[in-house]
Amino acid sequence: MNLKEKTIELKNWAIVGATDKKDKFGYKIPKKLKENNYNVFPVNPKLDKIDDFKCYHTLSSIEAEIDVVDMVVNPKIGIKVMKEINKLGIKYVWLQPGTRSQEIRDFAAENDIQLVESCIYARL
């Protein structure tokens, strides 16, 4: 089983960069994951709710154990998030288009975090 297939079978997903802007993937991805029976934890420090989702300000504030983080943020923010991911011991991260950088790839490699550079929205 490849890494994409393995992570798609995991059920607790945090979406970093979730938004209430309906035309953005940060809005569409949490909805589509929920429609496909995933446990979804949107993360955005500026929002408390997105429609019927509770929104978390940080990954650390989520009480559930997160299996996969899906990043929908600028790589400059993403590298800070990667440090929190490492601290929390999360091992799988999906990087949406526009979120990727060599700095993130290098950090993941140095800290045994496995990256999927693909769009989860297109996979569901």
Side-chain angles (χ1 to χ4, degrees):
M1 179 183 316
N2 71 31
L3 186 58
K4 271 186 196 174
E5 292 166 353
K6 181 178 180 177
T7 55
I8 285 173
E9 287 188 359
L10 300 171
K11 287 299 179 187
N12 287 350
W13 285 59
I15 315 304
V16 174
T19 182
D20 55 2
K21 294 177 177 66
K22 291 181 169 50
D23 61 328
K24 301 285 186 188
F25 279 103
Y27 179 85
K28 295 174 182 178
I29 290 168
K31 291 274 191 201
K32 190 135 184 194
L33 283 166
K34 187 164 178 70
E35 286 168 12
N36 285 277
N37 299 312
Y38 288 84
N39 301 314
V40 181
F41 302 89
V43 178
N44 184 319
K46 297 178 182 141
L47 298 171
D48 293 322
K49 278 195 85 148
I50 298 173
D51 293 345
D52 56 344
F53 290 107
K54 176 181 178 180
C55 194
Y56 298 85
H57 292 191
T58 63
L59 284 170
S60 302
S61 64
I62 300 171
E63 59 275 350
E65 187 174 323
I66 298 301
D67 299 316
V68 183
V69 173
D70 186 61
M71 289 234 257
V72 198
V73 292
N74 179 300
K76 288 183 180 75
I77 296 167
I79 191 62
K80 293 176 186 150
V81 176
M82 289 297 290
K83 291 173 182 165
E84 187 179 12
I85 288 167
N86 188 46
K87 191 179 94 190
L88 294 170
I90 299 166
K91 291 297 173 196
Y92 303 109
V93 177
W94 278 60
L95 296 175
Q96 297 297 128
T99 68
R100 304 164 193 163
S101 74
Q102 195 56 49
E103 187 180 12
I104 288 174
R105 289 182 193 103
D106 292 345
F107 183 88
E110 291 161 12
N111 292 282
D112 194 31
I113 297 169
Q114 297 186 53
L115 299 178
V116 176
E117 297 192 32
S118 187
C119 177
I120 186 62
Y121 189 80
R123 298 285 304 187
L124 297 174

